[in-house]
Amino acid sequence: MIGQDTMVNCRVRLARNYTDLPFDLQKRPNDAERCIQRTVNALELSGLGESFHLLRLREMTASQKEALNEKHLITKDLLRREETAAVLLNENMDLSVMINEEDHLRIMAVLPGRSLIQGEGSCFRIEEALSEHTSFAFDPQLGYLTAYPTNTGTGLRASMVLHLPMLTLDKQMGTMNQMAAKVGLTIRGLYGEGSEALGSLYLVSNNATLGRTEHEIVSTVDAVALQLGQLEQQLRERYFLQQRAKMEDEAGRAWGILRHARLLDVKEFFKLWSSVRVGALAGMLPVDAVSLDAMLENAQAGHLKARIGEDLSDERLLEVRADFVRRVLKEKQQEDV
Amino acid sequence: MLCDECRQKEAAFTVSVMIQGTSTIRHLCPECHQKLNRQIRAGNLQELLSSILKAITAKTVSEEAETGLSFDLPEELQEQEKTGPEPVCPECHTTLSSFRKTGRLGCPACYQAFRQQLQPMLMQIHGHVAHAGRVPSSSREARRHRSRQEELTRQMAQAVAQEDFETAAALRDQLKALSEEEEAQ
């Protein structure tokens, strides 16, 4: 379907709290432990226990934590609470339950492509299983109660990661953001600071969690993401028809650097990755979008460190990243031949 | 959600800003929100506007851009807070001022304790104050009640068999409370 080429992955997050515990358990190790045990027990009683394994943050290595954060299965906020925090992960590594983050539970799904509805379903399957054996803080008027009032109600945040290089080039993202704000959504750069969006990667997500049904939230994010994807696609097609040589040149040069560079910093990697992805989807390069999207996480510091070993200096990291990218693209090229 | 300004802390305030006739929602952490408030009080609109613009769009906007700002708490409520005794959550003892400072509530009971102050804030953040989504399933609730009832009955029978009548009486009271709770629901 048109527009789907721009959709990198999507995430759904559900915030829940137990009725009888204060929200912040950082300074209450006993309650924090009770919260972990209760969650694990409820999951086991519901029969889902076997699909998940528990990791306590204080028992994990730095690179393990960094890699999970890069996969968006745990957040920086959880890392800040590592003494009391834990996470339940499934085998596929696409579902997680963060325990003792800002809220007692953050049930999350991270799935490739356009699969928000599937992600929503997965999160609620876990939530329903847990609520069979526990009680979540709920108010008939305000819905599910959360530590911050920004998550009250459904506790649901639906996000989609989009690759929008042509809309960025065309300086349309400011307008797109204003339009999205009108339907209660925010668009922000996935990586980078301020208005910078490294690799032209954006995160579209809902602001409001109260006063709308879960389905309304998910379908609004999905619809806006699809619309942005379609606009991006139209611009790409126009670019392809009108300036094909330029498009091929950009993609080819980026490919050349990624295939042969010996040192690669993360900003440069994102920029080149973006051009290669556009070229690959236009059939100009021997690599598919799925491999490129997987590379996005794998070329980041935590994943590289986890693969190589703990002690990687900044200098060495550039080298390891370049090696990794070169190897993946070489394999793809050979497959193609 | 992270603060739109510093992108480090959790946003607790929502501010709507008018730029060239379009209203834009910004989510701020307590610190950045306070900074913004100070800037407005200081009348430094230019700096304020530039910081907002920097964050929401890279596009240059003409200097005549009009700004109109609205905040989370109506003035009359702020006044009321100054005069009356400070609300405190009876469960976790979080005070209203500490909630204001951190943007974070202490426990589920805080929602009841600060309901009056929360309503306008929730309206600002979400544009709604009434939940429209899922509710805990009553059938699930009932199922849980039943399994708890069974467990208590089993324990009571065991206690009677062991002639531990004190425990049995306590369990009987718990069972009674449980069925009253169910009826109330």
Side-chain angles (χ1 to χ4, degrees):
Chain A
M1 191 179 185
I2 291 174
Q4 289 208 34
D5 279 357
T6 59
M7 296 174 181
V8 178
N9 67 42
C10 60
R11 310 177 200 162
V12 179
R13 183 219 73 190
L14 209 53
R16 289 290 184 268
N17 289 279
Y18 293 121
T19 354
D20 57 337
L21 293 171
F23 292 132
D24 192 358
L25 302 176
Q26 222 177 337
K27 295 194 179 82
R28 305 166 74 113
N30 293 340
D31 282 340
E33 187 54 35
R34 195 182 306 163
C35 188
I36 294 173
Q37 285 307 332
R38 183 182 294 180
T39 311
V40 171
N41 290 344
L43 210 58
E44 263 164 23
L45 285 170
S46 71
L48 276 182
E50 278 182 22
S51 337
F52 287 85
H53 65 280
L54 180 81
L55 293 170
R56 282 168 208 276
L57 265 73
R58 59 169 184 263
E59 290 164 6
M60 292 162 71
T61 64
S63 60
Q64 257 181 319
K65 286 182 274 193
E66 204 175 346
L68 280 183
N69 177 238
E70 285 163 4
K71 276 191 190 301
H72 307 288
L73 290 167
I74 62 172
T75 57
K76 291 239 158 68
D77 262 315
L78 194 78
L79 293 173
R80 276 194 280 274
R81 298 156 199 261
E82 65 172 20
E83 272 313 305
T84 48
V87 61
L88 286 158
L89 288 172
N90 71 338
E91 258 178 57
N92 274 347
M93 299 283 274
D94 53 12
L95 296 174
S96 76
V97 182
M98 293 196 291
I99 311 177
N100 297 332
E101 206 235 32
E102 269 172 11
D103 293 297
H104 296 154
L105 302 182
R106 289 277 175 100
I107 304 166
M108 308 204 290
V110 182
L111 297 167
R114 187 188 176 198
S115 35
L116 271 183
I117 291 169
Q118 199 188 329
E120 181 199 3
S122 299
C123 286
F124 277 111
R125 257 195 308 285
I126 302 174
E127 195 259 2
E128 279 170 12
L130 290 171
S131 64
E132 294 254 347
H133 306 281
T134 53
S135 288
F136 292 130
F138 181 84
D139 177 284
Q141 196 217 328
L142 299 176
Y144 288 94
L145 305 177
T146 52
Y148 284 93
T150 42
N151 298 317
T152 311
T154 56
L156 181 106
R157 188 88 58 214
S159 322
M160 199 174 288
V161 175
L162 299 174
H163 181 223
L164 306 172
M166 294 299 147
L167 280 168
T168 311
L169 193 73
D170 214 30
K171 299 200 176 0
Q172 296 284 338
M173 287 316 293
T175 320
M176 295 299 133
N177 205 350
Q178 284 174 11
M179 274 165 40
K182 284 185 187 154
V183 287
L185 304 189
T186 301
I187 306 174
R188 64 180 82 199
L190 180 63
Y191 304 111
E193 282 164 19
S195 56
E196 187 185 27
L198 294 179
S200 301
L201 286 161
Y202 295 87
L203 189 74
V204 184
S205 52
N206 62 304
N207 288 325
T209 54
L210 181 66
R212 295 158 180 80
T213 66
E214 289 81 0
H215 183 70
E216 276 168 356
I217 294 172
V218 168
S219 34
T220 309
V221 175
D222 184 66
V224 169
L226 188 65
Q227 222 168 8
L228 285 166
Q230 284 169 345
L231 283 170
E232 167 72 22
Q233 204 73 23
Q234 282 168 11
L235 287 175
R236 276 191 213 178
E237 274 158 27
R238 204 172 70 198
Y239 193 51
F240 185 76
L241 289 173
Q242 293 174 353
Q243 301 184 64
R244 184 168 178 161
K246 196 173 170 213
M247 194 174 181
E248 276 178 338
D249 181 65
E250 272 170 11
R253 280 168 190 272
W255 173 261
I257 297 174
L258 288 184
R259 275 286 284 112
H260 297 286
R262 290 294 189 268
L263 298 171
L264 205 51
D265 87 30
V266 78
K267 280 198 179 184
E268 188 185 12
F269 165 73
F270 276 127
K271 194 165 165 262
L272 298 169
W273 175 91
S274 179
S275 304
V276 166
R277 196 177 190 274
V278 173
L281 283 166
M284 295 166 174
L285 296 172
V287 62
D288 56 295
V290 176
S291 313
L292 287 169
D293 293 353
M295 193 198 260
L296 206 55
E297 280 166 11
N298 292 328
Q300 289 187 57
H303 277 78
L304 293 172
K305 284 181 196 165
R307 199 172 303 119
I308 301 291
E310 286 298 301
D311 298 316
L312 274 186
S313 66
D314 288 354
E315 286 275 309
R316 180 86 180 102
L317 193 62
L318 304 183
E319 212 180 316
V320 170
R321 179 178 295 115
D323 281 349
F324 167 73
V325 171
R326 248 185 7 251
R327 210 177 52 241
V328 173
L329 296 185
K330 191 179 165 193
E331 278 167 20
K332 288 290 150 195
Q333 200 167 19
Q334 280 167 350
E335 275 173 29
D336 197 55
V337 176
Chain B
M1 185 188 304
L2 286 182
C3 170
D4 289 340
E5 186 72 26
C6 65
R7 296 207 175 203
Q8 298 197 338
K9 299 210 184 78
E10 184 69 12
F13 295 92
T14 301
V15 179
S16 85
V17 189
M18 294 287 291
I19 294 160
Q20 290 188 322
T22 314
S23 118
T24 305
I25 304 289
R26 301 251 298 139
H27 302 278
L28 300 175
C29 70
E31 267 181 42
C32 292
H33 179 249
Q34 217 175 18
K35 214 161 84 191
L36 185 74
N37 264 326
R38 271 202 303 276
Q39 284 177 0
I40 291 168
R41 274 200 296 275
N44 195 349
L45 277 174
Q46 203 54 48
E47 192 189 325
L48 167 72
L49 180 61
S50 73
S51 80
I52 292 166
L53 287 176
K54 196 180 73 199
I56 53 168
T57 164
K59 280 191 163 181
T60 48
V61 174
S62 70
E63 283 182 10
E64 297 86 39
E66 51 165 319
T67 60
L69 295 142
S70 60
F71 287 95
D72 55 297
L73 202 66
E75 273 175 25
E76 60 269 28
L77 270 179
Q78 281 180 358
E79 284 307 310
Q80 193 184 322
E81 263 172 46
K82 280 174 202 154
T83 50
E86 186 179 44
V88 178
C89 172
E91 287 287 328
C92 67
H93 310 294
T94 297
T95 60
L96 182 62
S97 55
S98 86
F99 164 54
R100 285 240 170 282
K101 217 165 99 187
T102 60
R104 191 187 164 106
L105 293 149
C107 73
C110 288
Y111 277 89
Q112 192 56 44
F114 310 138
R115 191 165 283 254
Q116 197 189 358
Q117 290 79 13
L118 269 164
Q119 292 276 355
M121 187 186 269
L122 289 168
M123 192 64 189
Q124 281 266 335
I125 298 172
H126 304 283
H128 291 273
V129 286
H131 180 56
R134 288 179 174 232
V135 298
S137 151
S138 58
S139 61
R140 267 189 265 149
E141 212 54 51
R143 215 164 31 239
R144 195 158 53 233
H145 261 283
R146 259 200 315 280
S147 72
R148 179 99 182 103
Q149 245 163 0
E150 275 165 19
E151 171 68 7
L152 287 174
T153 313
R154 194 186 57 76
Q155 284 179 9
M156 191 167 74
Q158 203 176 5
V160 171
Q162 289 166 354
E163 297 189 353
D164 181 357
F165 297 112
E166 210 173 88
T167 310
L171 287 164
R172 182 202 56 209
D173 290 346
Q174 280 184 42
L175 264 169
K176 200 171 153 222
L178 200 67
S179 52
E180 275 168 8
E181 199 183 312
E182 196 171 18
E183 267 170 39
Q185 277 174 4

